[in-house]
Amino acid sequence: MNSRRNFLQKITASALAWPLLSSATQASSINAYNRTYQSQPLRVAIMGLGSYGTRVAEAMQTCKMAKLTGVISGTPSKIKDWQSKYNIPEKNCYNYENFDRIKDNPDIDAVYIITPNALHHPQTLRVAKAGKHVICEKPMAINAKEGKEMVDACKNAKVHLLIGYRMHFEPKTLEIVRMRKAGEMGKILFFEGLSGFKIGDPNQWRLNPKLSGGGAMMDIGIYSINGARYMIGEDPIWVTAQETKNNREKFKDGIDETIQFQLGFPSGAVASCLSTYSMNNLDSFFLNGDNGYAKLQPATGYGPIQGRTHKGELTQPHVTHQTLQMDEMAAIILQGKKPEVPVNGEEGVKDMQIIDAIFQAVKTGKKVDLKV
């Protein structure tokens, strides 16, 4: 298995699709997908034409409010392939040296950055300077300092900065958030997040600390960090963490193999999470309150997500995550829509602050206080 992308695809490939409900309530949860959009769509250039960039491009073919209109890549052959496949004109194609020219291209409103983590910061600053909206894949940067600089740059340029949190639009996930907000689980006490897979190719960029900024925590552990926050509905105030490294040849300095971490929240709720590059079949969330619970497994794969609560199975319909994400993000940018769970740059910075604190806790062996 070569990457998190493959893991997320395979872990849900064998999942049985759950019954689709046709009620108005279910339909409204994917309203952006179903509605016919009459105005000019959000015109998007994808930067980074790898496996996930390809997945996003394919998903955008059925979007109602977002349209793929440009590409940015360092590989000329990929650009040619995408031009042919997605009917992208030559004038909307750029490489990493000249993409600042998008400033003068009215066919591009936003750029979705899907490149190695360490490139997100400089590329976001350049896109913002060009006056285009930024959608940045997670993690948004390699530390909170860079993330804050990205937020500031986009604010100064008066453009949106959105982070690729596709689970923030996923119907079953949002149903659990709704139940928690409505008090249907009572006081929230505990969250468990398990995020991991066995990573393959030892030469890939994810195992290069200069490009990734870290190992499993940056790549897959961030799902449990982010999930703990939107499931509990609070930001943590402390963290403790322990690292296990069994393969130091593959997981060199700066690349975490396995980290167990614990989060404490203002209400007294706690979270226990695991992030790993050395174990398969880890993709689950569990939320426990004094009056009920919710369980997702798979929790963050490409779908269909499966889950249940104390009230029974979750049966919200599955829609391709990236299709829903891009339509909803278009609505945020074009219409000022407020998502149930935020996806702005500030949310990305909070996750980076927590990751910074986890690494500090691993290094020091001490509890680290947080203020995010």
Side-chain angles (χ1 to χ4, degrees):
M1 196 169 298
N2 294 325
S3 70
R4 168 170 57 91
R5 318 301 188 203
N6 292 333
F7 159 74
L8 291 171
Q9 183 177 15
K10 290 179 179 179
I11 199 167
T12 56
S14 61
L16 295 176
W18 287 21
L20 303 185
L21 299 187
S22 58
S23 70
T25 300
Q26 303 292 355
S28 66
S29 71
I30 53 170
N31 186 49
Y33 176 72
N34 287 330
R35 70 169 165 263
T36 300
Y37 187 64
Q38 301 297 333
S39 302
Q40 176 71 48
L42 183 73
R43 296 162 296 184
V44 180
I46 290 180
M47 179 186 295
L49 311 185
S51 60
Y52 194 70
T54 300
R55 181 177 290 275
V56 172
E58 286 296 302
M60 287 183 69
Q61 301 312 298
T62 51
C63 279
K64 308 299 183 184
M65 296 183 66
K67 181 180 180 181
L68 176 62
T69 60
V71 294
I72 303 169
S73 174
T75 307
S77 60
K78 287 185 178 179
I79 292 176
K80 290 296 183 185
D81 289 344
W82 280 51
Q83 277 188 270
S84 175
K85 186 171 185 179
Y86 302 113
N87 194 28
I88 297 171
E90 183 70 30
K91 66 184 180 67
N92 292 354
C93 298
Y94 302 87
N95 58 43
Y96 295 129
E97 287 70 45
N98 68 15
F99 74 80
D100 308 271
R101 297 176 189 170
I102 60 173
K103 179 179 181 179
D104 302 314
N105 191 335
D107 290 347
I108 296 172
D109 303 313
V111 175
Y112 194 161
I113 298 173
I114 311 176
T115 55
N117 306 336
L119 302 180
H120 294 175
H121 173 265
Q123 290 169 343
T124 292
L125 300 191
R126 289 173 66 185
V127 172
K129 188 176 180 180
K132 304 299 183 179
H133 302 294
V134 180
I135 302 170
C136 183
E137 190 49 36
K138 60 192 177 304
M140 71 181 296
I142 61 171
N143 54 51
K145 178 179 180 293
E146 286 193 356
K148 290 175 182 175
E149 290 172 356
M150 293 161 66
V151 169
D152 290 342
C154 290
K155 282 186 176 179
N156 290 337
K158 295 181 173 54
V159 297
H160 284 270
L161 171 58
L162 305 180
I163 312 303
Y165 291 125
R166 59 186 167 83
M167 303 313 300
H168 292 200
F169 307 107
E170 197 281 316
K172 294 183 179 71
T173 300
L174 289 180
E175 173 60 10
I176 294 174
V177 171
R178 184 203 65 75
M179 291 176 66
R180 186 258 301 159
K181 286 182 176 180
E184 294 178 22
M185 299 179 202
K187 179 178 172 60
I188 299 300
L189 305 171
F190 176 72
F191 172 84
E192 180 188 63
L194 304 178
S195 301
F197 65 98
K198 288 185 179 180
I199 197 166
D201 180 10
N203 298 313
Q204 64 181 280
W205 69 262
R206 290 178 181 82
L207 298 179
N208 179 344
K210 291 183 178 179
L211 289 176
S212 65
M217 184 60 63
M218 287 285 191
D219 187 21
I220 193 72
I222 191 171
Y223 281 95
S224 282
I225 292 170
N226 192 246
R229 292 178 54 233
Y230 62 69
M231 287 289 188
I232 292 175
E234 300 180 67
D235 292 325
I237 56 175
W238 58 259
V239 60
T240 54
Q242 309 80 38
E243 181 177 12
T244 302
K245 187 173 286 192
N246 294 316
N247 187 341
R248 293 185 177 275
E249 182 177 350
K250 186 171 186 177
F251 304 106
K252 298 177 172 58
D253 289 346
I255 298 293
D256 50 285
E257 179 182 353
T258 300
I259 293 179
Q260 299 174 75
F261 61 96
Q262 302 79 40
L263 304 170
F265 295 83
S267 65
V270 292
S272 177
C273 303
L274 176 70
S275 164
T276 185
Y277 265 163
S278 293
M279 291 177 263
N280 282 333
N281 308 310
L282 293 178
D283 181 19
S284 67
F285 288 172
F286 176 73
L287 183 68
N288 193 44
D290 58 8
N291 288 337
Y293 74 91
K295 170 82 172 180
L296 292 175
Q297 187 173 13
T300 63
Y302 292 140
I305 301 302
Q306 295 191 23
R308 65 180 299 111
T309 74
H310 59 285
K311 294 186 173 182
E313 291 184 350
L314 293 170
T315 54
Q316 287 71 21
H318 170 69
V319 179
T320 301
H321 294 175
Q322 295 79 8
T323 303
L324 197 50
Q325 172 196 332
M326 295 306 295
D327 269 338
E328 289 289 343
M329 287 187 166
I332 292 169
I333 292 172
L334 298 176
Q335 300 176 338
K337 184 175 181 179
K338 302 296 183 184
E340 282 296 319
V341 183
V343 292
N344 54 35
E346 288 84 355
E347 288 299 302
V349 171
K350 288 180 180 181
D351 284 343
M352 298 314 305
Q353 289 175 315
I354 297 167
I355 289 177
D356 287 350
I358 288 171
F359 288 154
Q360 183 182 348
V362 165
K363 185 177 180 180
T364 64
K366 298 178 180 179
K367 177 190 285 187
V368 176
D369 291 330
L370 280 167
K371 187 176 181 180
V372 301

